[in-house]
Amino acid sequence: MLAAMYDPQIDSRRQNILNQAANLFGQKGYSATSMKDIAEAIGIQTPSLYNHLQSKQEILQVLLLFIARLFHEGILQIYQRPASHTEKLQQVVKMHIRIATDHQQIAPLLLQEWKQLEEPAYSEFADLRRKYHNLFKTILEEGIAAGEFKALNADITLNLILSALKWIYGAADYYTSHAIKPEDIESCFAELVFNGLLKQ
Amino acid sequence: MLAAMYDPQIDSRRQNILNQAANLFGQKGYSATSMKDIAEAIGIQTPSLYNHLQSKQEILQVLLLFIARLFHEGILQIYQRPASHTEKLQQVVKMHIRIATDHQQIAPLLLQEWKQLEEPAYSEFADLRRKYHNLFKTILEEGIAAGEFKALNADITLNLILSALKWIYGAADYYTSHAIKPEDIESCFAELVFNGLLKQ
DNA sequence: CCTACCGATCGGTAGG
DNA sequence: CCTACCGATCGGTAGG
């Protein structure tokens, strides 16, 4: 498996630091994780970290902007494809699960840790997030207008679906221990969202 | 509106501290919130806090065990009532929205901040959480066995529904600014989960 | 409820 | 990549 490239710099030690930091930020939270924690996870002294990065905050920014751009590019591509709105929604869900699975260390940071971003990274992240929500909402609204979807409140529906998808961010441990495959989540999610839980 | 009573002590200053702390913990996170932050929100000096509580950790424990017990008692009562499984699921969703709305300051702590609990509070919280999940899952499984629900994977379905409900925890600002009422969420959620998004 | 103060730890720098 | 070290801030205590 190729190591994830969060930024263009070719520095495997830096990549290692970013990965370990992502794990710790996801488990304990950004504020509760010290640079000493990260250094110990790597096996070096704390000051040595600063040969590979400028600050603790830089780590958070690189990780979150990397994954936020992935999500944004993904939904933009799907939105522009010629397909029914039902198919588009299905593809967005699939993309969501794929990115969260491919980047299990970073995905949990999307839950709360983005709040710890400082400017200008905070605004850049918020902008990507807003664009993602808007495109997702547009797919729902166009699906309603086209008569494919029920005329439910688009804001609430959007947020309920996004919130359900967030389960995948932090549940990597859970569904490996329960032998759940990404395809299982995808098919269960699709059946639930499209046709509902009731039998008849 | 009556002030929430998190514990039996009649000390309105203490209640005020707990409320302000809950707000800050929810916004910035437990670790990123200092006792100085809390004291300033109240308008007193930091050491004065310790006349009303023993430690920062005690605040987190009181808040989280209070709301965890509410959820547990709520689902236990619903589970024991004579009703169809569909009605029970609907009532659980309703209870969920009601508790999260009544305790908007505390609900966001259920997302991530419980990880910062120390023993023995951590285990007590985890136990209530586990019992809640088990009862919820049993309602789903009994509904499947009774032929009311489709035979979807109960674990995945449980987690997708719980994750969707978590939207309400942190979205108090959002849905007041969008003029969304709790009943709107409840009806949208019920339609989506029971019958799905597709029109036909 | 305050002032004065404690040891521990924080992110980060200097210099080699 | 290390050792030595910095000022700032942390949660919390003493004492009144």
Side-chain angles (χ1 to χ4, degrees):
Chain A
M1 199 175 90
L2 275 170
M5 295 297 284
Y6 305 129
D7 57 17
Q9 293 186 241
I10 300 166
D11 179 346
S12 67
R13 176 64 99 184
R14 179 176 158 100
Q15 295 298 326
N16 189 14
I17 294 170
L18 294 172
N19 269 321
Q20 297 289 351
N23 284 331
L24 290 165
F25 290 171
Q27 284 163 27
K28 314 206 297 176
Y30 175 75
S31 286
T33 301
S34 68
M35 293 303 271
K36 188 166 170 256
D37 293 332
I38 299 169
E40 280 173 359
I42 311 277
I44 57 175
Q45 296 298 318
T46 311
S48 300
L49 292 173
Y50 293 88
N51 288 304
H52 303 279
L53 45 92
Q54 292 185 8
S55 66
K56 185 186 178 187
Q57 173 69 204
E58 189 203 7
I59 303 175
L60 191 67
Q61 297 185 357
V62 168
L63 296 171
L64 277 170
L65 288 175
F66 167 79
I67 198 164
R69 289 191 191 108
L70 271 189
F71 272 105
H72 176 251
E73 287 164 17
I75 199 169
L76 197 59
Q77 208 172 31
I78 290 166
Y79 176 71
Q80 291 167 343
R81 280 210 274 267
S84 73
H85 303 92
T86 307
E87 285 167 337
K88 283 183 183 177
L89 179 51
Q90 209 156 8
Q91 283 167 13
V92 170
V93 170
K94 196 169 187 168
M95 171 201 73
H96 218 103
I97 294 170
R98 193 179 53 75
I99 294 178
T101 305
D102 288 351
H103 302 282
Q104 291 178 14
Q105 307 99 6
I106 314 177
L109 309 185
L110 292 167
L111 295 173
Q112 300 281 353
E113 305 312 320
W114 58 270
K115 293 181 182 174
Q116 309 281 349
L117 284 173
E118 294 167 10
E119 295 292 0
Y122 183 92
S123 291
E124 193 178 341
F125 177 86
D127 198 49
L128 288 165
R129 196 167 173 265
R130 188 182 48 76
K131 286 176 181 166
Y132 184 85
H133 279 227
N134 283 346
L135 283 169
F136 207 140
K137 189 179 166 188
T138 305
I139 292 174
L140 289 176
E141 286 173 335
E142 289 182 357
I144 292 170
E148 289 181 42
F149 302 148
K150 289 176 192 160
L152 298 174
N153 181 311
D155 280 310
I156 298 177
T157 305
L158 169 69
N159 281 291
L160 287 176
I161 291 176
L162 281 176
S163 188
L165 284 171
K166 277 179 187 158
W167 170 50
I168 313 159
Y169 295 171
D173 323 334
Y174 178 86
Y175 60 78
T176 51
S177 74
H178 282 65
I180 297 173
K181 288 171 289 181
E183 305 88 67
D184 299 333
I185 301 172
E186 195 185 317
S187 63
C188 186
F189 187 91
E191 180 62 23
L192 204 60
V193 166
F194 286 127
N195 299 312
L197 185 60
L198 293 186
K199 203 164 187 179
Q200 50 191 333
Chain B
M1 197 175 91
L2 274 171
M5 295 296 283
Y6 306 126
D7 57 16
Q9 293 186 242
I10 300 166
D11 179 346
S12 67
R13 176 63 99 184
R14 179 174 157 101
Q15 296 296 326
N16 189 13
I17 294 170
L18 293 172
N19 270 321
Q20 298 288 352
N23 284 332
L24 291 165
F25 290 171
Q27 285 163 28
K28 314 205 298 175
Y30 174 74
S31 286
T33 302
S34 68
M35 294 302 271
K36 189 166 172 255
D37 292 332
I38 299 169
E40 279 174 359
I42 311 277
I44 60 176
Q45 296 297 318
T46 311
S48 300
L49 292 172
Y50 293 88
N51 288 304
H52 303 279
L53 44 92
Q54 291 185 7
S55 66
K56 186 186 176 186
Q57 173 70 202
E58 189 202 6
I59 304 175
L60 190 66
Q61 297 186 358
V62 168
L63 295 171
L64 276 171
L65 288 174
F66 167 79
I67 198 163
R69 288 191 192 107
L70 272 189
F71 272 104
H72 177 250
E73 286 164 17
I75 200 169
L76 197 60
Q77 209 171 31
I78 290 167
Y79 177 70
Q80 292 167 342
R81 280 210 274 268
S84 73
H85 303 93
T86 308
E87 285 167 337
K88 282 183 183 177
L89 179 51
Q90 209 155 10
Q91 283 169 13
V92 170
V93 169
K94 196 170 187 165
M95 172 202 72
H96 218 104
I97 293 171
R98 194 180 52 75
I99 294 178
T101 306
D102 288 352
H103 302 283
Q104 291 177 15
Q105 306 99 6
I106 314 176
L109 308 186
L110 292 167
L111 296 174
Q112 301 281 355
E113 305 313 319
W114 59 270
K115 293 181 183 176
Q116 310 281 347
L117 284 173
E118 294 167 10
E119 296 291 359
Y122 182 92
S123 290
E124 194 177 341
F125 177 85
D127 198 50
L128 288 165
R129 196 167 173 266
R130 189 182 48 77
K131 285 176 181 165
Y132 184 84
H133 278 227
N134 283 345
L135 282 169
F136 207 139
K137 190 178 165 187
T138 304
I139 292 174
L140 289 177
E141 287 174 334
E142 289 181 358
I144 292 171
E148 288 182 41
F149 302 147
K150 288 175 193 160
L152 298 175
N153 181 311
D155 279 309
I156 298 178
T157 305
L158 168 69
N159 281 293
L160 287 175
I161 291 176
L162 281 176
S163 187
L165 284 170
K166 278 180 186 159
W167 170 52
I168 313 157
Y169 294 171
D173 324 332
Y174 178 87
Y175 59 79
T176 51
S177 74
H178 283 66
I180 296 173
K181 288 170 290 182
E183 305 87 67
D184 299 333
I185 301 172
E186 193 184 318
S187 62
C188 186
F189 188 92
E191 182 61 22
L192 204 58
V193 167
F194 287 126
N195 300 313
L197 185 59
L198 293 186
K199 205 165 186 180
Q200 48 191 338

